Amino acid sequence: GENVEQHPSTLSVQEGDSAVIKCTYSDSASNYFPWYKQELGKGPQLIIDIRSNVGEKKDQRIAVTLNKTAKHFSLHITETQPEDSAVYFCAASIKGGGADGLTFGKGTHLIIQP
Amino acid sequence: SAVISQKPSRDICQRGTSLTIQCQVDSQVTMMFWYRQQPGQSLTLIATANQGSEATYESGFVIDKFPISRPNLTFSTLTVSNMSPEDSSIYLCSVEIGTDTQYFGPGTRLTVL
């Protein structure tokens, strides 16, 4: 089955700086890659996603890049703010293949230092 | 997106008992999923629940331990049976909107003593 590796496990950046979280996946058939933000005591919130026919996607301060050949994808947050502090999870799945559940990475605890 | 609610939000249970968790969504959806998030860990898919068919369980999860119902397109239940302390986790339901986007409920925080 699919295996998703996520790094780093903890990331501390100064407010206003950029943060980058990286994930790799093992199954070349995976074609959908969402990112979730989870705040303490809450369920995961979808923040951005990318499909395998696209190399990059941007939404305001958040961007995701995908390299299908290398089987890795990354989350980029620019101009970080205190409210960006949370745990971020990457995930992968095979859509349309009858196996639509998500395989998650282990998560990155992002800490924004004021 | 979708508005998803879960009941209960949290519970403390004795070992050997069972707890049924409810998941309600504000629109009709074909695919619903149940995940487990152990303390400080990532999310692991338990099963996929499609209306009108038996739930499909992932490796390591069995129907006798985690029976699931999906009576209609807006509701599902997950039962955690014969609980042990190892079952202490957050249990999350999610729904698929469109072709692939999953939205999660707030979770049910279960502690087993």
Side-chain angles (χ1 to χ4, degrees):
Chain A
E2 176 67 280
N3 182 51
V4 177
E5 299 282 341
Q6 182 172 349
H7 299 282
S9 57
T10 303
L11 178 60
S12 181
V13 301
Q14 291 291 323
E15 182 179 350
D17 288 350
S18 296
V20 180
I21 302 170
K22 298 182 179 181
C23 289
T24 60
Y25 61 98
S26 61
D27 192 338
S28 57
S30 289
N31 55 17
Y32 176 65
F33 308 93
W35 285 88
Y36 289 87
K37 174 184 180 182
Q38 188 174 31
E39 296 174 316
L40 197 61
K42 297 184 178 181
Q45 174 192 1
L46 178 70
I47 56 172
I48 196 167
D49 57 9
I50 192 167
R51 291 158 183 82
S52 60
N53 59 346
V54 175
E56 183 174 357
K57 183 177 179 180
K58 207 171 183 181
D59 183 4
Q60 299 183 333
R61 297 187 296 111
I62 295 173
V64 57
T65 58
L66 171 66
N67 183 327
K68 284 192 296 182
T69 303
K71 290 191 283 189
H72 68 70
F73 56 113
S74 300
L75 177 71
H76 304 253
I77 305 175
T78 59
E79 301 172 16
T80 53
Q81 301 168 2
E83 53 264 37
D84 294 329
S85 294
V87 179
Y88 291 80
F89 292 97
C90 63
S93 73
I94 302 169
K95 291 301 173 181
D100 289 357
L102 296 169
T103 301
F104 282 83
K106 291 189 181 300
T108 296
H109 186 192
L110 177 62
I111 302 166
I112 307 301
Q113 303 279 5
Chain B
S1 66
V3 177
I4 305 164
S5 60
Q6 287 186 232
K7 289 182 182 179
S9 58
R10 60 177 66 241
D11 207 341
I12 300 173
C13 301
Q14 296 296 320
R15 70 171 67 210
T17 63
S18 297
L19 176 72
T20 295
I21 301 167
Q22 300 178 6
C23 179
Q24 179 80 51
V25 61
D26 68 343
S27 58
Q28 294 185 337
V29 295
T30 302
M31 301 191 74
M32 296 181 78
F33 305 87
W34 287 97
Y35 290 81
R36 181 175 73 182
Q37 186 174 26
Q38 294 177 304
Q41 303 296 314
S42 186
L43 289 81
T44 301
L45 180 65
I46 297 172
T48 302
N50 292 338
Q51 197 269 336
S53 63
E54 296 283 332
T56 303
Y57 290 82
E58 297 298 303
S59 176
F61 298 96
V62 295
I63 188 171
D64 289 348
K65 176 67 175 177
F66 298 101
I68 288 170
S69 77
R70 183 77 202 276
N72 58 53
L73 291 173
T74 64
F75 187 78
S76 178
T77 68
L78 170 77
T79 299
V80 186
S81 303
N82 188 24
M83 289 183 286
S84 67
E86 292 72 34
D87 294 320
S88 297
S89 292
I90 300 172
Y91 292 87
L92 297 137
C93 70
S94 72
V95 302
E96 187 170 274
I97 303 293
T99 56
D100 44 32
T101 308
Q102 281 192 33
Y103 296 94
F104 283 83
T108 295
R109 283 146 188 82
L110 171 62
T111 301
V112 183
L113 303 177

